[in-house]
Amino acid sequence: MNDSYDCIVIGGGPAGSTAAALVAEAGRNTLLLEREKFPRFHVGESLMPESYWSFKRLGVLDKLKQGHFQRKFSVQFASHTGRESQPFYFSERDPRECSETWQVLRSELDEMLFKNAAEKGADCHDQTRVLDVLFDGRRATGVRIETADGQSRDIAARVVVDATGQQSIIANRMGIRQPNPKLKKAAIWHYYRNARRDSGRNEGATLVLYTNDKKAWFWYIPLHDNIVSIGVVADAAHLLKGRGTPDEVYFEEVEKCPALKARLADAELTSNVRVLREFSYTSSEAAGDGWVLIGDAYVFLDPIYSSGVFLALKSGEMAGDCIIDALKANDPSAARLGAWAKPFTDGVYWMSKLVYAFYNDSFSFGRFIKNYPHHVGNVTDLLVGKVFQPSAADVFKDMDPWIEQAAATKANPSEKTGEKPAEKPASAAAS
């Protein structure tokens, strides 16, 4: 390693590797650091179709196509009674190749992106721990690291990028990370071999399976080598307080999910239990003088729509462009480094509204679409990740009253639900 760099990126996940690859490709001296040794485990195996464009820009599409990752063409839902819907095919909205995506083993995907950053010119090191981010006042000036052989040293940088995921070194240090009070969720998950999956184009479909009491839902993500990732998500208080061990709770929830039990009839458990607690949060600032937060270090929403990797890639891409611009202008200020944050958080906002609607069991996407069939395409666009375009807001002009009525119904169950809300007065709509 050198004593100084134009840009140091901490964290070798999709966000960090994307930013490092783009900044290095632009000719800037870039250091990418990863604490663990590759390949390393990470959850978040299901990709959104719109990830295609980031992969294309990074130049890794051919590697993905030629690899062994499970192809994903659709999403499917199972109700609390066990009834499974027809597959929801992404290509019905957009028949192009970009409507196909993958179910990935993150240890392999992340290592591929890390190596791609090296191929683009970044100086990449795993097994390197960042002990501290160095500051002069509120301006980041570099990092203090510990190498695999236990040696520590300081390295200077004009820009420090925090892509450390939930560790979020800078956000936690500055006290700018804020948990999402609406999404105090937790997840418990396992991996199985030989769990039943459908055939043909439906083999790699992501499934969302409700429990019979509708207090939890399972993700069901078919991976390659006949492995399936299966996790339960619910309020943290419901899953983790006073119900026994995580394993005991997990299998209690399996018993309450008829659609899942049928698929596990011949399955073999292949992992120890894993737990993630209250994972939804955001940060009040995306950048400061000499520093940037990207990926999960900046914001994490919820696993329901498989947005994690997509938002990590997109934030790395958008922030990377701003870093290139700031270094070219010799102005690594908060204003230049954070110019990407407003359009990015706008996109996250539209996705978050769908997440909140999903967790309100008084709201029905089916009833909404029945009343507004012309919005099928708009909802589809949001679900595949098309949230960074002006039309992303269109559906909420009609959906917001339904979400508001559902929230009122949840608070007062005696109110009627399932009917088209009354039109708001013009004065109320304007406000």
Side-chain angles (χ1 to χ4, degrees), residues 185 210-217 233-235 238-239 253 256 361:
K185 306 295 180 181
Y210 289 91
T211 55
N212 56 20
D213 60 5
K214 298 194 286 187
K215 291 183 178 180
W217 64 274
V233 179
D235 289 345
H238 176 68
L239 284 186
E253 295 298 322
K256 294 189 288 185
D361 53 19

Side-chain angles (χ1 to χ4, degrees), residues 157-225:
R158 298 171 68 192
V159 178
V160 177
V161 181
D162 187 347
T164 58
Q166 295 216 346
Q167 184 186 9
S168 196
I169 296 174
I170 293 178
N172 282 322
R173 170 177 173 158
M174 292 189 162
I176 59 175
R177 177 165 154 174
Q178 304 160 341
N180 188 326
K182 296 182 179 180
L183 294 172
K184 293 184 177 181
K185 306 295 180 181
I188 307 173
W189 71 100
H190 272 294
Y191 294 87
Y192 288 84
R193 184 180 302 280
N194 204 37
R196 180 171 65 81
R197 59 178 79 191
D198 296 328
S199 59
R201 293 185 70 203
N202 300 332
E203 180 183 357
T206 292
L207 303 180
V208 175
L209 313 168
Y210 289 91
T211 55
N212 56 20
D213 60 5
K214 298 194 286 187
K215 291 183 178 180
W217 64 274
F218 279 87
W219 75 65
Y220 190 99
I221 300 172
L223 305 172
H224 62 279
D225 290 340

Side-chain angles (χ1 to χ4, degrees), residues 327-350:
L327 291 171
K328 182 178 181 180
N330 195 29
D331 177 24
S333 62
R336 278 193 180 270
L337 292 175
W340 63 279
K342 176 61 166 61
F344 179 81
T345 52
D346 283 350
V348 174
Y349 173 73
W350 302 126

Side-chain angles (χ1 to χ4, degrees), residues 18-19 21 50 56 59 73-74 79 93 96 128 139 157 177 197 211-212 242 248 329 331 347 366 369 386 393 428:
T18 296
E50 279 295 284
K56 182 176 182 179
F73 300 96
S74 62
S79 73
R93 174 66 170 171
R96 294 178 297 168
T128 304
R139 177 181 291 276
R177 177 165 154 174
R197 59 178 79 191
T211 55
N212 56 20
E248 289 170 342
D331 177 24
I369 292 300
K386 294 181 180 180

